Amino acid sequence: MTHALIIGGGIAGPVTAMALQRAGIGSTVYEAYPSGADHAGAFLVLFANGLEALAVIDADRPVRENSFPSGTVEFLSDTGSTLGARPIAGSGDGPRPRTLPRAALYRALRDEAARRGIRVEHGKRLVSTSTATSSGRRPAVTAVFADGTRAEGDLVIGADGIHSRTRTLLDATAPVPRHTGQLTVCGRTRATGHRVPAGTYRMMYGRRGFFGCTTGPDGTTYWFANIPGAELPRASLTSLTPDRWRSRVTGTFADDRTPAAAIAAATGDDIVGTNAYDIPTTPVWHDTRTVLVGDAAHATAPNAAQGASMAIEDGVVLARCLRDLPVPAEAFAAYERLRRERVERVVAMSAAMAGRVAATPEERRARDEDVARRMAEDTGGGTEWLTGYRIDWGAPVH
Ligand SMILES: Cc1cc2nc3c(=O)[nH]c(=O)nc-3n(C[C@H](O)[C@H](O)[C@H](O)COP(=O)(O)OP(=O)(O)OC[C@H]3O[C@@H](n4cnc5c(N)ncnc54)[C@H](O)[C@@H]3O)c2cc1C
């Protein structure tokens, strides 16, 4: 039986392992961190396309059990006036988008993979890979980890995220993540008096940043803020305290007549911030034995909130390709053909959202008029190509 070494136990890793199992291919997941990280206030939204991709491998139930749905998005201007509301993209005939803490999503996927008998090894940080052909055997690939241990398999799947080591091993000249000029801060609080109506995301255009929040069934308000800021050294991110992030966010929205600053101010230690990155295109996705999935292949700025859903889609599509095309290089080429155009369109869309800034009062007025007009006309965000995407597991890949 073919055995895959999956590097990274975030979102793409466990999903790919479960999809491969359904395709009759074994795998082990190697995760760098010793155990699941807490991720403080971080949370994610999964849209209909990501939820339906999980359903293809019957892995959507644990995600649904740990999340809550939203069907409406409304927009406020920095002046505090409501610009309009519409159904969230994908809320039409597919499942409604679901919100859940990042740590809960990681845990749900890893636990579900483990329940299906898939091995997830922690504390295994990939350092290098090598391919060897010993006489009478088919070529095998060896992964070497930072703790000095090794693992051997038939192929390597790099699901190791935005700063992927596998990407650099595949192509030493691979582009490095590009900072979008923004910091993304997430928080959650039950202390705020500002509750958003059930099933609604309230988005607020600030003069200097963008803020969004929703309130879950237990009264917790989840919020995110995209604020301008230079790239922070990666090593310093973990040492930035919740106080520092809170004051950056409250300062950014202090001059707006929206509840953004008050919600951030009412948040305790459940705050975490990070640099926002993307990579417009990654030229090399695979060689004959190694392939990339998720952020490793197509790092997306967080603005479109589609990176996790894309990572899930990748894992399921790759498994279909490996099921039907036993030569890995052919399966990888088919996978890239099926995925590249779509994911790069998402990366570009998210980058455009990150780049939208209304700096002057005139620009803000024009933006408000434009948003209000689009709200009045729009029923689903015009993103059917994105959230309406479905994977036909039964269809053969040629
Ligand atoms: C602030 C923020 C908000 C976001 N919000 C959303 C959202 O609402 N909706 C959405 O769909 N997407 C969102 N995203 C994007 C989403 O988080 C990513 O696209 C998604 O996590 C990608 O999944 P992945 O499995 O490819 O990578 P990751 O989830 O990053 O997982 C990679 C894993 O690989 C491990 N790893 C790294 N290096 C090694 C190594 N050398 N060896 C072994 N293991 C390694 C890491 O520890 C990690 O566990 C957001 C991103 C950010 C930053």
Side-chain angles (χ1 to χ4, degrees):
M1 190 201 209
T2 300
H3 192 84
L5 311 177
I6 299 179
I7 311 302
I11 296 168
V15 168
T16 306
M18 289 188 273
L20 287 177
Q21 187 183 55
R22 181 145 295 200
I25 296 167
S27 68
T28 305
V29 178
Y30 298 94
E31 165 56 42
Y33 283 97
S35 63
D38 178 35
H39 298 291
F43 64 96
L44 289 157
V45 186
L46 288 183
F47 284 87
N49 50 311
L51 291 164
E52 291 284 23
L54 278 177
V56 167
I57 55 167
D58 293 322
D60 53 327
R61 188 186 46 79
V63 171
R64 284 177 201 285
E65 284 172 0
N66 286 285
S67 61
F68 61 90
S70 308
T72 304
V73 60
E74 61 176 41
F75 288 86
L76 302 188
S77 161
D78 57 278
T79 60
S81 60
T82 301
L83 300 172
R86 63 163 166 77
I88 298 185
S91 308
D93 46 4
R96 291 200 287 165
R98 300 192 75 95
T99 299
L100 76 172
R102 180 180 284 265
L105 176 60
Y106 281 33
R107 201 178 319 113
L109 295 175
R110 274 190 221 168
D111 289 354
E112 183 61 19
R115 197 184 65 76
R116 297 179 186 197
I118 293 161
R119 260 184 50 210
V120 181
E121 293 197 21
H122 288 96
K124 299 289 175 190
R125 180 172 292 279
L126 180 78
V127 176
S128 62
T129 55
S130 61
T131 310
T133 319
S134 39
S135 53
R137 287 200 65 226
R138 58 188 169 161
V141 60
T142 302
V144 180
F145 300 102
D147 64 358
T149 57
R150 291 161 181 267
E152 203 172 274
D154 300 293
L155 41 111
V156 170
I157 298 174
D160 47 352
I162 199 157
H163 301 287
S164 169
R165 173 75 185 147
T166 319
R167 187 199 298 133
T168 341
L169 293 172
L170 256 183
D171 175 11
T173 64
V176 293
R178 168 183 78 166
H179 187 240
T180 63
Q182 290 187 339
L183 305 171
T184 299
V185 189
C186 292
R188 58 175 172 245
T189 176
R190 298 181 76 159
T192 171
H194 186 87
R195 277 180 75 115
V196 182
T200 300
Y201 259 88
R202 184 164 283 163
M203 306 297 200
M204 305 169 205
Y205 288 100
R207 291 183 202 187
R208 291 190 292 275
F210 187 77
F211 189 96
C213 61
T214 187
T215 304
D218 69 351
T220 303
T221 294
Y222 295 78
W223 59 265
F224 70 87
N226 294 326
I227 60 177
E231 182 178 10
L232 299 167
R234 275 174 70 200
S236 77
L237 281 175
T238 45
S239 60
L240 275 175
T241 61
D243 281 352
R244 294 270 301 278
W245 285 117
R246 193 184 310 106
S247 58
R248 269 195 95 139
V249 175
T250 49
T252 303
F253 297 98
D255 297 336
D256 300 332
R257 283 197 232 137
T258 69
I263 294 170
T267 306
D269 283 349
D270 278 337
I271 295 192
V272 67
T274 188
N275 296 312
Y277 294 109
D278 71 0
I279 300 180
T281 182
T282 299
V284 180
W285 277 27
H286 67 88
D287 61 11
T288 55
R289 291 274 144 193
T290 301
V291 65
L292 304 175
V293 288
D295 276 7
H298 42 78
T300 312
N303 305 63
Q306 271 286 342
S309 292
M310 290 294 129
I312 294 166
E313 289 180 11
D314 280 357
V316 178
V317 172
L318 176 63
R320 265 184 71 212
C321 296
L322 283 162
R323 175 196 65 191
D324 295 346
L325 301 168
V327 177
E330 288 174 13
F332 297 163
Y335 156 75
E336 182 175 350
R337 264 199 312 277
L338 289 170
R339 297 296 298 159
R340 186 183 274 279
E341 187 184 337
R342 172 171 171 78
V343 296
E344 289 190 351
R345 189 172 172 193
V346 174
V347 175
M349 182 181 91
S350 215
M353 290 167 81
R356 247 177 246 154
V357 181
T360 64
E362 293 71 34
E363 285 172 350
R364 288 196 287 275
R365 247 195 318 277
R367 176 205 61 206
D368 286 356
E369 283 168 18
D370 182 48
V371 173
R373 186 182 43 75
R374 284 193 286 121
M375 288 296 114
E377 290 167 357
D378 204 348
T379 52
T383 52
E384 178 57 24
W385 66 272
L386 180 57
T387 56
Y389 177 87
R390 298 292 180 267
I391 299 167
D392 184 355
W393 179 259
V397 179
H398 299 292

